[in-house]
Structure formats: C-alpha cells, structure tokens
Amino acid sequence: MESVALSTPGYQHLKNIADHWKKVANVAIRNVGSWAGNLMLKHAHPEFPSDIWITLLGADCKVSLGDSTTSSTDEVDLRQFLKEDMARKVILNISFPPFMEDTYFYTYKITPRAVNAHAYINACIKMKVDVKNNFNIVESPTILFGGIHPEFINASKTEAYLRNKSLLDDQTINGALMVLGNEVIPEVQPQDASPQYRTSLTQALLYKSVVGILGDKVDGDFRSAGMGLERPLSSGRQDFDMNKDSWPVGEPIPKIESAAQVSGEAEYLNDVPYLPDEAHGAYVLSQYARANIKSVDATKALFIPGVIDFVTAEDIPGVNSFVAQAGPYPDPVFAKGEVRYAGQPIGMIVATSRDVAVTAAKLVK
C-alpha cells in the first residue's frame, strides 16, 4: 500500500491509510487477522469503532462480494455493506479509486494507549480544496467520525456548512466547529470516555485537519497543530560495574533451563495429557494472617458433582510437614488450629477436574 502511494499518482492517500492501520491492535494480531475479518466485525457489531471500515469509507472504496448461492459477484460501497445479508457470501476484494488533484485526506485515531485499544474517537476527513482560489472547499467535504454512536457516520450538517466556503475565513472555521459541536452527540457508555470529551475531540480533529491543509498560511504559533506526532522507537540502556574479584559470587550466568524454555522444548504441567482416573487438587487458602481456626465447613463444596474429597491436616498420616525431619520448626502442609500468614493452605479440594476443584475450593468457609 505504501509503495503504491509513493509511485502512483492519485493514490498518495494510501500512505495515510497504511500508517493508520499500523495503529490497529498490535503486530501479532495484524499478522494473523485480516482487513476483511475486521469489516465483518463491524458488520456484526455496528457500534464497533472500526478503523479499517472508516478509512476505507473515507477513501470511497467499494467491496466486492461473492455469493455462493448464485455464483455471482456484486460490488457495494462501505455503507451498503453494513446492510448486506452476508449469509453464504464472502468478501473477495476491495477497490480504491484514485483521488483528484488538490484532495486532502486525513485519518485520526485517539486512544487511551498507542496499541491494543479501541478508539475513543476515530476520524476520516477529506476535502477537495482550490488552493489558488482562497483555499475554497470544492463541493462538500467528507467528515466521518467513529465512536459517537452506532448510527452516526457523517457530520452531515458540518459538511453542508463548509460547502464552497474558504478555509482562510476565521468565521467559517469557528462556525463549523460550533455546528459540529451541536451535531455530535456521543452515546453514553461506561467503557467510553465522557461524551463531552469525545465531542471536543471531534472539534479538535477538524481544526487539526484545517491547519494541516493551510500549512504555511497559518501563523507559526499555531502551525504545529496540523502536524502528526511521530512516536520514535524507544530504547534503553543500563551500565553497571562488576567486581570480578568476588566471582563466582555475583557472576552473571545463564539460567540452566532457559534454553529449553525459550525454544519451547520444556514441558509444563498443562502440556502433560491427563491420565485415566486422574484427580486434581485446589488449595483452600486463608484470607487472614495470624488467625485462629474455629471451624472449616466444606459441606457445599462436597455436594458439587465431581468433587471427591476435602482433605485437611487431620487427614495426613504422620507429620504435617513438607520436611519430615523438620525439628522444632516444621513447615506445615496445612494449617492446624492457627494460620500464620494470609494465603496459608488450610486444606485441599480433590476433584475429577481442575475446574471443578477450583470452583469447589471457593465454597469452603
């Protein structure tokens, strides 16, 4: 996509889209996922603020769909795609039309983190501007926002307000920001930022795109508002002295089992297949430190299907200690009469599966 943007006239905007898509999820997810899968998520959940969908919509792309029932193909725009019945259909490809000269295209994603986060607001703003004629907007601009509510796509009133107006007119810009503020009414959701903040973001992004278009026409004190913030590759280094005279004490040595672990050769408990009639245990831990044990009630836990037994210190034959010859300071397997620290094992639920054992252990009081 980036190579096409650099080499093909009319497709410079693909660089913006490629940069935007690098902010979606993370590298690992992008390596196993697909843009078509992301579009299907948006199709199933219209409230999902899909970066893929909004950037493709802003670029006037069309999706080609294959119908297995009729063996036919059909091309639809991104809006119509959300209304399509996708039963027995598959996304085949997507087409990008070239942009006319003097078309400015910006995409934005405002998130709580740089990666692995849905957008508070994502946006796509496209304007065809007659630079030689007082920076007049030719026809209507395209102003798209995601993260407002499922039905909101275009800031249509703001688009109509800006139609054929000059971006050099301060009153025009202030009026557009006011219209946008009244037009955008974000949905209230517990997981989202406040509606007031998200509304202010839409205004800030529109202003940012206008400053970006005007470039040197903007006063130097405000020009940086139109620039994108580049996040450089972070790195760190720590130097410290080593006293080799004390070696082997303090000598850095590789962890013995590290090679097997990082290569995937090491076998962990979850890698071992279950054996026939295998039992699983889950500790019942004390929630208090330095407390006396008055009673332990496992009645509810023992009624759960799959629970075999509940064992305590009373069930241990011999010494209740991990070390048989512990002397005066035993390390008890289970607390008896008194717990010495929070998290000390009081007993163990034994069950036919790990999930049952863990669930039952939570019911012991």
Side-chain angles (χ1 to χ4, degrees), residues 311-321 333-334:
V311 296
T312 64
E314 303 293 340
D315 301 299
I316 297 178
V319 182
N320 176 29
S321 176
V333 178
F334 299 121

Side-chain angles (χ1 to χ4, degrees), residues 318-333 340:
V319 182
N320 176 29
S321 176
F322 284 106
V323 182
Q325 306 297 327
Y329 304 105
D331 184 10
V333 178
R340 300 176 182 175

Side-chain angles (χ1 to χ4, degrees), residues 49-62:
S50 168
D51 295 286
I52 307 297
W53 183 83
I54 199 168
T55 52
L56 294 179
L57 176 63
D60 297 326
C61 294
K62 290 191 175 182

Side-chain angles (χ1 to χ4, degrees), residues 21 29-41 52:
W21 286 14
I29 291 177
R30 293 197 299 271
N31 284 344
V32 299
S34 68
W35 58 263
N38 187 283
L39 291 182
M40 287 305 299
L41 280 176
I52 307 297

Side-chain angles (χ1 to χ4, degrees), residues 293-305:
I293 300 176
K294 293 184 178 181
S295 64
V296 180
D297 184 5
T299 304
K300 292 183 179 179
L302 292 171
F303 273 111
I304 293 180

